[in-house]
Amino acid sequence: KLSPNCSWLVVKRNICDRLYCRKHELTVEILEKRYELVQIMCLQEVAAIFKDAYVNSDISATHWLATPAKLDGNRDQNSLILFRKDAFVAETSNEVTPQIIDHMQKDISLAD
């Protein structure tokens, strides 16, 4: 047998928990513990569900989350920004994607 005492299943489950099942909660936990004083955090390749983990976290008390008007829940390759609330005012941010699209070449499009 490859794993006579089934210890591989325990290791496999731990890997899955950390890399997939609890990915967003663990990411938020890392941001809370290691980066709480950082004023701007640029997050790339973020799943749309990350927003839920953020809302239910302590970091939502210190940082506000800027998201695109259209979160991509299919490809889950969103770019998000966390701004520290005591350094930036949320009401001063605005979505600029429509203006960018207006200046793009007509044969180029953005993914939805």
Side-chain angles (χ1 to χ4, degrees):
K1 273 183 147 180
L2 183 61
S3 182
N5 61 356
C6 295
S7 62
W8 166 243
L9 294 177
V10 174
V11 171
K12 180 181 175 183
R13 183 65 186 158
N14 286 337
I15 291 171
C16 287
D17 279 347
R18 287 183 171 82
L19 296 179
Y20 182 72
C21 298
R22 295 190 56 236
K23 175 184 175 181
H24 309 295
E25 291 82 8
L26 291 172
T27 300
V28 167
E29 186 178 312
I30 290 168
L31 294 174
E32 289 171 346
K33 290 182 179 179
R34 302 286 183 179
Y35 301 98
E36 68 177 321
L37 299 178
V38 174
Q39 293 183 345
I40 300 175
M41 293 181 255
C42 299
L43 309 175
Q44 301 293 313
E45 305 286 326
V46 180
I49 197 166
F50 176 85
K51 188 175 179 181
D52 296 333
Y54 158 81
V55 169
N56 297 315
S57 72
D58 291 340
I59 202 161
S60 66
T62 58
H63 292 75
W64 58 272
L65 181 65
T67 62
K70 291 173 69 176
L71 278 175
D72 180 353
N74 293 324
R75 292 181 26 225
D76 276 340
Q77 296 178 336
N78 298 288
S79 296
L80 310 179
I81 305 174
L82 284 168
F83 292 95
R84 188 151 175 87
K85 289 180 178 180
D86 60 6
F88 297 93
V89 179
E91 293 77 24
T92 62
S93 73
N94 61 346
E95 174 71 60
V96 296
T97 304
Q99 291 88 342
I100 301 299
I101 292 172
D102 288 345
H103 289 87
M104 292 174 56
Q105 294 177 4
K106 299 301 177 202
D107 59 334
I108 297 175
S109 64
L110 296 178
D112 280 336

